[in-house]
Amino acid sequence: MTPVLNRLRRAQGQLAAVVRMIEEGKDCTAVVTQLSAVSKA
């Protein structure tokens, strides 16, 4: 159970980073890169 929770927490953190990047108006390429990392998590 612990590995699953760790993986979900990592994905949650990456999604939070994507939301923050969009709110700050970051470059689309950087946002897409983060989204790719989330989907792999």
Side-chain angles (χ1 to χ4, degrees), residues 17-37:
V18 169
V19 170
R20 188 171 49 251
M21 291 171 76
I22 292 171
E23 289 174 341
E24 294 173 356
K26 296 289 183 178
D27 181 54
C28 288
T29 306
V31 174
V32 169
T33 301
Q34 275 298 99
L35 285 173
S36 175

Side-chain angles (χ1 to χ4, degrees), residues 1-29:
M1 193 65 144
T2 301
V4 173
L5 289 174
N6 288 341
R7 196 168 178 178
L8 287 171
R9 286 186 182 111
R10 187 175 338 122
Q12 183 181 32
Q14 289 172 326
L15 276 175
V18 169
V19 170
R20 188 171 49 251
M21 291 171 76
I22 292 171
E23 289 174 341
E24 294 173 356
K26 296 289 183 178
D27 181 54
C28 288
T29 306

